[in-house]
Amino acid sequence: MSSSEQPRRLICCIGTGGTIASEPTEGGLAPTRQDTFFRRIRSHPSLTSPSHFDSSSVSFSSPVLTQQVGKNIRYPRLITPELDDQGTNVEYEILDLDRHLDSSEMTPSEWNIIASLVYENWDNYDGFVILSGTDTLAYTAAILSFLFLDAGKPIIVTGAQIPLSRPRSDGWSNIFDSLFVTGTLDFAGVGIVFNHQLLRGTRATKSSPNLFSAFTTPCVPPLINFNVKITYDQSYPLTTRSANRPPPLVPLLTSPSVLSIHIYPGMTGSLLEAQIEAVPTCKAVIISAYGSGNLPINEHSGVLLSLKRMVEKEILVVVISQCGIPNVYPLYTQGRTLLSIGVLPGYDLMHEAAFAKLIWLVSRPELTFKQRQELFETPIVGEMSK
């Protein structure tokens, strides 16, 4: 069957705000919730087929007929132009959250909303694109990776360094590539599409607020590079689409449950414990340590005793590296001493994936503390190498 005879895939694009949807305001660029964002996409020839509308009757200012879906808004369905040499086009709908936000304001509450929308609409679409701000984009991709473990459809998270409302926006190509991945490729799982690359959802970090290549996966290569020739990472075959449904959705804890503490010269056990005691709902702690996971564990610092007390209170304590290319293995005396008191090594986990994995674990009341420890050290969705 040729591409022209195959049914088009239908993609749901969930708009959360962020830079990509920002418009000029009196106070500067802000992710305002209005139909201007949809109008821009509807008018762009790379994202909407000219044959989809009668160009003589539809302009930028033409009315937009929306549908209220709970608190959210669904915009009219669009069809892309041909996305590949086989003439494949994709249909897609934009479902806008009731409140656009700067991604620095993203919390587990918003992740619950986004995950619920994907889960509730799983049977209605062939794939999902989450349009996000960039500051917490990698965190969003990481948590969705755990929540939709082994699910058989693609979920892509993307955004932009420059808004669609401004010249030179990279958002156009990021949306195009996201629709290409979700609409034409045999790919399943959670990924980040940015600057003509597909990255693993649990391996990425934001490495620049300025470069168009804002996201990198320091420990692994990109899954796909969209250059003149599309190239794939041969060492890590793509997960292909399947009939696998998502697992039962885990409602994430919305009270502060995972803390992150950066080690610096002069850190003491009393400083560590003061931060933990200030958050009674804390269930896990990420310690960003020096090098391969080294901490000041001499008796004078009191750090080792404080960490031991945390573990005794059944708080998950995880050590990751402050290095840009992390690698925490218990090779040195410090690391082996930490292991002996129940502190867990983060191996090559990025901070975003460590945070997401921990909140996913502590939000599951059926797990014992020991089970959470064991699962943390088990690779679940390709988030780490042991």
Side-chain angles (χ1 to χ4, degrees):
M1 183 183 291
S2 67
S3 294
S4 60
E5 296 171 324
Q6 292 178 349
R8 294 190 189 100
R9 284 175 173 158
L10 176 60
I11 307 303
C12 178
C13 299
I14 298 175
T16 69
T19 295
I20 195 168
S22 290
E23 296 285 336
T25 69
E26 289 184 2
L29 290 169
T32 56
R33 188 175 187 252
Q34 51 187 322
D35 62 17
T36 308
F37 180 67
F38 172 81
R39 293 174 188 272
R40 295 188 190 284
I41 291 176
R42 181 180 65 178
S43 303
H44 200 282
S46 292
L47 298 179
T48 303
S49 173
S51 62
H52 183 52
F53 296 111
D54 178 356
S55 58
S56 64
S57 62
V58 175
S59 65
F60 185 84
S61 59
S62 295
V64 177
L65 301 177
T66 61
Q67 179 185 0
Q68 196 75 29
V69 184
K71 294 181 178 180
N72 309 311
I73 292 178
R74 179 181 288 125
Y75 288 95
R77 187 172 299 186
L78 299 173
I79 301 174
T80 67
E82 294 181 358
L83 298 180
D84 59 20
D85 292 337
Q86 287 70 49
T88 308
N89 1 51
V90 174
E91 296 185 35
Y92 63 103
E93 295 176 339
I94 296 174
L95 181 62
D96 244 356
L97 296 190
D98 66 311
R99 184 173 75 93
H100 273 186
L101 69 159
D102 186 295
S103 76
S104 62
E105 299 172 344
M106 188 71 70
T107 72
S109 295
E110 282 73 39
W111 288 335
N112 281 334
I113 293 170
I114 294 168
S116 294
L117 285 173
V118 173
Y119 193 85
E120 292 163 6
N121 286 283
W122 191 257
D123 293 330
N124 301 328
Y125 297 95
D126 299 301
F128 299 85
V129 175
I130 314 300
L131 302 169
S132 171
T134 59
D135 285 342
T136 53
L137 188 151
Y139 288 93
T140 298
I143 191 61
L144 290 175
S145 299
F146 290 104
L147 292 175
F148 290 88
L149 169 67
D150 292 332
K153 294 179 182 179
I155 303 171
I156 295 298
V157 190
T158 194
Q161 293 285 66
I162 300 176
L164 297 188
S165 62
R166 308 305 300 159
R168 300 177 52 247
S169 175
D170 56 323
W172 303 115
S173 59
N174 288 339
I175 295 174
F176 180 94
D177 287 344
S178 297
L179 292 172
F180 179 82
V181 171
T182 54
T184 74
L185 298 185
D186 188 15
F187 168 74
V190 180
I192 291 173
V193 165
F194 223 89
N195 194 44
H196 305 298
Q197 291 184 321
L198 172 62
L199 308 173
R200 302 177 206 181
T202 52
R203 289 290 196 158
T205 187
K206 185 176 180 181
S207 54
S208 174
N210 175 56
L211 299 177
F212 285 140
S213 54
F215 294 90
T216 54
T217 51
C219 297
V220 295
L223 287 171
I224 304 178
N225 287 289
F226 300 105
N227 297 313
V228 174
K229 182 178 180 181
I230 297 175
T231 56
Y232 297 78
D233 173 21
Q234 299 301 321
S235 64
Y236 192 91
L238 293 182
T239 303
T240 55
R241 291 174 185 261
S242 71
N244 289 357
R245 299 188 58 78
L249 198 57
V250 175
L252 301 175
L253 296 174
T254 55
S255 56
S257 56
V258 180
L259 269 62
S260 182
I261 299 174
H262 197 86
I263 298 298
Y264 52 85
M267 174 63 76
T268 64
S270 59
L271 287 173
L272 277 177
E273 290 194 76
Q275 295 180 66
I276 305 303
E277 291 170 359
V279 186
T281 53
C282 175
K283 295 179 181 294
V285 179
I286 300 170
I287 306 291
S288 294
Y290 305 126
S292 59
N294 300 319
L295 297 170
I297 61 171
N298 60 78
E299 186 176 347
H300 176 72
S301 74
V303 168
L304 189 63
L305 183 59
S306 294
L307 294 177
K308 188 172 185 293
R309 281 198 285 256
M310 290 181 205
V311 176
E312 289 171 349
K313 293 177 183 177
E314 296 198 342
I315 294 173
L316 289 170
V317 181
V318 171
V319 173
I320 65 172
S321 175
Q322 296 176 9
C323 296
I325 304 176
N327 190 353
V328 172
Y329 290 95
L331 299 176
Y332 297 92
T333 301
Q334 290 97 329
R336 297 191 176 188
T337 302
L338 293 172
L339 273 181
S340 71
I341 63 169
V343 173
L344 306 172
Y347 301 99
D348 57 352
L349 275 170
M350 304 308 297
H351 184 275
E352 292 88 340
F355 183 88
K357 189 171 188 178
L358 286 171
I359 197 170
W360 176 67
L361 287 172
V362 302
S363 296
R364 299 173 60 187
E366 79 277 10
L367 298 176
T368 65
F369 178 68
K370 182 65 175 176
Q371 287 172 325
R372 289 171 180 167
Q373 286 185 311
E374 291 172 352
L375 279 171
F376 183 84
E377 288 203 80
T378 304
I380 304 293
V381 281
E383 73 279 6
M384 65 185 187
S385 308
K386 287 187 67 175

